[in-house]
Amino acid sequence: MLSSTVGGNVGVGQSLGRGGTILAHGIGGRGDLPVPFSLALAGAAAALVVSFVILAWSWPAPRFDNRETGRVLPLALTRVVDAGVFRSALRVLGLLATAYVGVAAIFGPDLLVNPTFGVVYVLLWVGLVPLSVVFGPVWRYLNPLRPLHLLLARLLRVPPVEGLIPLPARLGAWPAAVGLFAFVWLELVAPDATSLAVLRMWVTAYVVLSLLLALVYGARWFDRGDPFEAYSTLFGHLSPFARRPSDGRLVLRNPLAHLAGLGTGPGSVAVVAILLGSTAYDGFSQSTTWIGFVQGSGIPEVLAGTGALAGSILVAAGSFWLATVLAGGLAGGGASERTSSAPRLRSELPGAFAGSVVPIVLGYLIAHYFTLLVLEGQQTFIYLSDPLANGANLLGLAGRDVDPSLANNPQMVAGVKVGAVVVGHVLGVIAAHDRAVALFPRRTALLGQIPLLVVMVCYTLAGLTLLFAT
């Protein structure tokens, strides 16, 4: 939620005074993107349609169903990653980093120079995405709440894994979805989201609730209920590093093949829709159309923002749900024609296709937060060198300036942003096609993909419109 506009007038870390910053995740205004808007739209739509045609001709059977595929990495690497010493070192690293930032959050000044804001909104929320895409679901190993829960469970003599009662399977990923919505609401809608009092309150509630629920349901709660672990795990399925189910060996695998193994239980579509819809709302909320509406409507800004955020998420979820259900209706045949892996109920199709939206979400996030991570990420590390703003230089970075060279290259930024949206959607089309030919009868699989193609084209056009409109 910090400034990341990408023109030549970048105001990295501009302060609005005590406890505030310019709240603009910034996807770059139209003047920052030296690409004709109509050309970008036409090119993106054409790329999706051409991709679909090529796939229809050259991809008649699923290629990502075999979870045993991949180039096996040396056994020594698997042993190192699985070693208790290595995992304990990551836990200690997570705890030490949390304690370091915690000191700033508790004792530091309620000013922009406090690194807590940048750590939460930039390094954690945005930086966790590339880390997970490259290395896999890293947050489950760095999550400081896991060792704290283990300590509490032992002190209270509660089984750390099983907890007191079983975690109901029907909950699926819904608890994580609720937590994700709570965070994006804090980030995008909550008043004074960059005041320490508000951020402390949210983090305290998150920590207390997480530890209590983990004591009740055991460590399995983090797997299914922790929003940041769900977030990291989702993008971790785009990592080239995967596990071979037969023996647990680490392998290098096509990320789309890894994505095909994403869980499809209850709440999986909600998690994806929250990420997609909240990113769209973040872009729209910076447009002159939205700002003018809020200022002239008389509706309280928090109420308007909450409604628009929820509406964006519902539109994302509803359009995807409708497209997948229509796909099942167009492609479905008799029971004898259905593939063995096809969902039994049409209502299960959204979950089966949810993974195909993940590359689209990743493309939106890159387009939306690329400059934020590069520019405000630098500023956050500079502030971390002096966490209490008392003249310290613990990391040797205090007094340095942010390198603005990225902001002075709008052509490159435009290429990254537009390219991320288009490439993300093309990869989504590929993933959806592979799912369709795996789930539907071959003679109707292409027909069933038409609703999915239409909704993906709409997502592309909407994403590019937001990219150019702010």
Side-chain angles (χ1 to χ4, degrees), residues 74-156:
L75 180 59
L77 181 60
T78 301
R79 288 175 174 171
V80 168
V81 171
D82 292 340
V85 173
F86 180 76
R87 298 196 174 195
S88 296
L90 292 178
R91 296 274 187 249
V92 171
L93 176 63
L95 284 170
L96 290 177
T98 301
Y100 188 94
V101 178
V103 170
I106 296 172
F107 302 107
D110 192 2
L111 295 170
L112 179 60
V113 294
N114 192 310
T116 306
F117 306 115
V119 169
V120 174
Y121 294 131
V122 180
L123 299 185
L124 175 60
W125 181 243
V126 183
L128 193 56
V129 174
L131 277 178
S132 300
V133 168
V134 174
F135 298 110
V138 293
W139 189 246
R140 68 180 305 161
Y141 303 106
L142 294 171
N143 188 351
L145 297 185
R146 281 187 177 266
L148 291 178
H149 160 254
L150 180 61
L151 177 61
L152 285 175
R154 288 177 175 173
L155 289 175
L156 298 175

Side-chain angles (χ1 to χ4, degrees), residues 34 68-69 135 167 196 241 255 295 298 303 307 366 369 385 429 439:
E68 294 295 320
T69 59
F135 298 110
L167 182 62
L196 277 180
F241 296 103
Q295 291 176 344
L303 183 60
I366 293 173
Y369 302 134
S385 198
V429 169
L439 299 178

Side-chain angles (χ1 to χ4, degrees), residues 106 163 229 259 272 275 277 313 319-320 326 329 374 400 404 435 458:
I106 296 172
E229 287 205 11
L259 185 65
V272 174
L275 296 175
I313 293 169
S319 59
F320 180 73
L326 287 176
V374 173
R400 293 196 180 186
R435 283 286 82 202
C458 291

Side-chain angles (χ1 to χ4, degrees), residues 20-92:
T21 65
I22 291 181
L23 303 185
H25 265 147
I27 57 176
R30 186 164 186 160
D32 299 318
L33 300 176
V35 179
F37 179 52
S38 58
L39 179 61
L41 290 182
L48 296 187
V49 174
V50 170
S51 300
F52 174 75
V53 172
I54 293 174
L55 290 170
W57 175 71
S58 63
W59 201 305
R63 301 182 182 183
F64 299 149
D65 265 5
N66 187 355
R67 304 291 185 268
E68 294 295 320
T69 59
R71 181 179 179 181
V72 181
L73 294 173
L75 180 59
L77 181 60
T78 301
R79 288 175 174 171
V80 168
V81 171
D82 292 340
V85 173
F86 180 76
R87 298 196 174 195
S88 296
L90 292 178
R91 296 274 187 249
V92 171

Side-chain angles (χ1 to χ4, degrees), residues 297-361:
S297 66
I299 302 174
E301 186 175 353
V302 174
L303 183 60
T306 301
L309 174 62
S312 297
I313 293 169
L314 290 175
V315 167
S319 59
F320 180 73
W321 181 89
L322 179 62
T324 52
V325 171
L326 287 176
L330 291 173
S336 61
E337 297 178 289
R338 298 173 66 80
T339 66
S340 59
S341 59
R344 296 181 180 180
L345 301 175
R346 196 172 297 175
S347 60
E348 297 174 356
L349 285 173
F353 280 96
S356 63
V357 186
V358 178
I360 297 175
V361 176

Side-chain angles (χ1 to χ4, degrees), residues 222-310:
F222 296 110
D223 297 326
R224 291 164 50 187
D226 187 277
F228 299 107
E229 287 205 11
Y231 183 62
S232 178
T233 299
L234 186 74
F235 291 109
H237 274 81
L238 282 173
S239 169
F241 296 103
R243 294 276 185 171
R244 193 166 61 181
S246 59
D247 56 8
R249 288 282 296 273
L250 284 172
V251 297
L252 284 178
R253 181 180 299 161
N254 184 326
L256 292 182
H258 192 185
L259 185 65
L262 185 67
T264 59
S268 56
V269 175
V271 170
V272 174
I274 287 169
L275 296 175
L276 186 63
S278 63
T279 306
Y281 165 76
D282 195 4
F284 178 65
S285 67
Q286 298 170 41
S287 67
T288 55
T289 300
W290 173 253
I291 294 171
F293 168 77
V294 173
Q295 291 176 344
S297 66
I299 302 174
E301 186 175 353
V302 174
L303 183 60
T306 301
L309 174 62

